[in-house]
Amino acid sequence: MAQTTPNHTQTVSGWAAHDSSGKLTPYTFKRRENGPDDVTIDILYCGICHTDLHYAKNEWGITMYPVVPGHEMTGVISKVGSNVKKFKIGDRVGVGCIAASCLSCEFCQDSQENYCEKLQFTYNGIFWDGSITYGGYSKMFVSDQRYVVHIPESLPMDAAAPLLCAGITVFTPMKDMDLIHSPRKKVGVVGLGGLGHIAVKFGKAFGHHVTVISTSASKEKEAKERLGADEFIVSKDPQQMQRHRRTLDFVLDTVSAEHCIGPILELLKVNGTLSIVGAPDKPIQLPSFPLIFGKRTVKGSIIGGIQETQEMMDLCGKYNITSDIEVVKPDDINHAMERLTKNDVRYRFVIDIAQNNTKL
Ligand code: NAP
Ligand code: ZN
Ligand code: ZN
């Protein structure tokens, strides 16, 4: 259904999926005028998160078609509203998953907009004016300044884009476990994809022992040599899983598809914590025995607040952490999506939206 909101007068070209085939085609739509609290961003790059695939194919059953995915966008500010103090024209910025929140609940007040009950996402959300939100697979974006972060000068705009969702999603649970400052811990990362490979980089940057738990034996060499993982367990091999029982303090599960978590729980020490950030379409089965025999905790986490996203960005600037990316042209989005479906990406596709060959 096309938007008819009155102040949506800016014409934007982008790419949308129109049905559960998930196929993306060029799509022209309207965005709101830049309001007093808004900034307008000329998008340079946008990462392809697995969530985009879940939405494009309506795997969670909540997609409002046509959907313009994309919540890992970086670009340059081209307009600022009269109330905007933090940003100016020409600033290098990024926008992640959040388009709106209530601004007044305890979570919004505490910079944890990600837990606001009225949270609305960058795409497939309903904005304050009632319009459906369209994401970063498009040339231009209008965002309330509250949901925008600065990209440090030291980070390239293409490889920084995935930090806006994949980065913050793995950073927050690690910070919650005090892993930024705690003495060396044994950390496990399940699923070496877009989220998982950044979690490995954070784990190493914060000085921990990092074990990757993966279904893909072919990823072992680069997990160790390129990403710096200390150990690699092939989760399909029961003997390897058995050898590593009760060895890990904390495990982050980033898997996008249905899988068993009982054997993963067994990898945790007594009192260990499993944090789930992956969002398979089917419910996860939680077996009680590995929980009760190991006094283990299972929790979840969704992205992070905006203040925390800026903190993570600045830390990435300091440690020089970015995503490993494969840059694709807009014409290749569908091919990239197909490869993502087949778990064939090292480790994040990023769309070169502007294609202007300027590396900012
Ligand atoms: P991704 O790049 O596709 O990575 C997912 C990884 O999961 C794959 O690389 C693969 O790693 C593993 N995997 C895939 N199929 C599997 C299966 N059947 N059994 C076991 N492992 C399997 O996806 P992503 O972009 O990192 O996103 C991961 C998930 O997190 C998605 O569900 C996404 O929607 C969700 N997500 C959640 C949040 C949040 O706020 N909580 C934010 C962003 C994304 P190996 O080859 O190493 O096994
Ligand atoms: Zn995402
Ligand atoms: Zn709120």
Side-chain angles (χ1 to χ4, degrees):
M1 191 177 50
Q3 257 172 187
T4 52
T5 318
N7 78 337
H8 285 235
T9 51
Q10 305 203 72
T11 304
V12 185
S13 45
W15 293 268
H18 299 265
D19 56 48
S20 61
S21 71
K23 187 170 187 289
L24 286 121
T25 52
Y27 178 63
T28 302
F29 60 97
K30 301 278 189 196
R31 288 205 190 278
R32 68 180 184 272
E33 283 299 311
N34 194 82
D37 291 300
D38 288 333
V39 301
T40 296
I41 301 164
D42 289 340
I43 301 179
L44 293 174
Y45 296 99
C46 189
I48 301 184
C49 179
H50 204 113
T51 298
D52 301 347
L53 194 58
H54 290 308
Y55 272 108
K57 295 189 171 176
N58 196 19
E59 289 175 353
W60 295 334
I62 53 171
T63 305
M64 298 181 273
Y65 290 110
V67 64
V68 176
H71 56 210
E72 293 184 336
M73 66 189 101
T74 56
V76 175
I77 292 194
S78 60
K79 266 185 222 160
V80 293
S82 53
N83 295 338
V84 175
K85 300 281 176 288
K86 256 173 51 189
F87 301 99
K88 58 181 188 320
I89 291 174
D91 279 359
R92 293 157 33 102
V93 294
V95 173
C97 302
I98 307 180
S101 56
C102 84
L103 306 180
S104 58
C105 73
E106 59 178 305
F107 301 103
C108 287
Q109 299 274 312
D110 192 31
S111 304
Q112 293 186 68
E113 307 87 346
N114 48 321
Y115 292 109
C116 173
E117 274 201 280
K118 304 252 167 70
L119 177 70
Q120 293 299 329
F121 291 119
T122 309
Y123 63 86
N124 206 69
I126 311 280
F127 192 63
W128 290 317
D129 62 9
S131 63
I132 292 175
T133 57
Y134 292 134
Y137 293 10
S138 61
K139 301 270 183 188
M140 180 272 265
F141 195 79
V142 180
S143 175
D144 187 285
Q145 58 171 333
R146 182 181 174 118
Y147 310 110
V148 182
V149 297
H150 288 281
I151 309 286
E153 286 298 326
S154 59
L155 299 181
M157 294 294 261
D158 49 2
L163 299 173
L164 275 318
C165 172
I168 185 61
T169 300
V170 299
F171 177 82
T172 304
M174 292 175 106
K175 187 182 165 200
D176 266 5
M177 291 297 293
D178 204 24
L179 291 180
I180 304 181
H181 303 294
S182 69
R184 193 170 163 87
K185 288 260 164 65
K186 294 195 85 175
V187 172
V189 176
V190 192
L192 197 61
L195 269 59
H197 89 289
I198 300 179
V200 174
K201 291 187 185 196
F202 282 148
K204 292 313 295 175
F206 304 152
H208 302 292
H209 179 282
V210 178
T211 301
V212 171
I213 301 114
S214 169
T215 57
S216 312
S218 61
K219 293 181 182 171
E220 175 163 4
K221 193 166 151 44
E222 59 193 44
K224 288 182 171 164
E225 291 174 7
R226 191 176 154 74
L227 303 173
D230 299 282
E231 287 190 69
F232 190 95
I233 306 174
V234 179
S235 52
K236 290 173 181 161
D237 179 345
Q239 281 171 347
Q240 286 193 39
M241 292 293 278
Q242 178 69 19
R243 262 204 313 280
H244 289 82
R245 281 181 79 247
R246 293 196 171 206
T247 59
L248 304 176
D249 296 292
F250 171 70
V251 172
L252 187 66
D253 185 330
T254 73
V255 172
S256 53
E258 202 179 2
H259 62 295
C260 298
I261 65 163
I264 295 168
L265 283 170
E266 299 281 8
L267 298 174
L268 286 167
K269 291 178 185 172
V270 172
N271 231 354
T273 300
L274 170 66
S275 184
I276 294 179
V277 289
D281 53 353
K282 304 236 166 44
I284 293 170
Q285 286 210 354
L286 185 60
S288 58
F289 279 23
L291 271 188
I292 59 182
F293 279 93
K295 210 212 310 176
R296 297 168 175 119
T297 303
V298 180
K299 59 197 285 196
S301 181
I302 188 161
I303 43 172
I306 299 302
Q307 201 175 296
E308 207 165 51
T309 308
Q310 187 66 66
E311 178 192 338
M312 174 221 55
M313 266 299 167
D314 295 342
L315 218 63
C316 287
K318 184 173 153 199
Y319 288 113
N320 202 21
I321 296 175
T322 52
S323 175
D324 286 15
I325 56 169
E326 290 189 46
V327 178
V328 295
K329 294 194 172 66
D331 287 349
D332 294 329
I333 297 178
N334 289 305
H335 185 226
M337 287 284 199
E338 259 168 55
R339 285 186 51 200
L340 182 60
T341 309
K342 295 182 191 144
N343 192 10
D344 171 25
V345 50
R346 299 289 194 276
Y347 281 92
R348 192 57 127 201
F349 288 114
V350 171
I351 309 165
D352 180 2
I353 299 280
Q355 291 187 281
N356 60 5
N357 298 320
T358 353
K359 272 233 160 192
L360 279 158

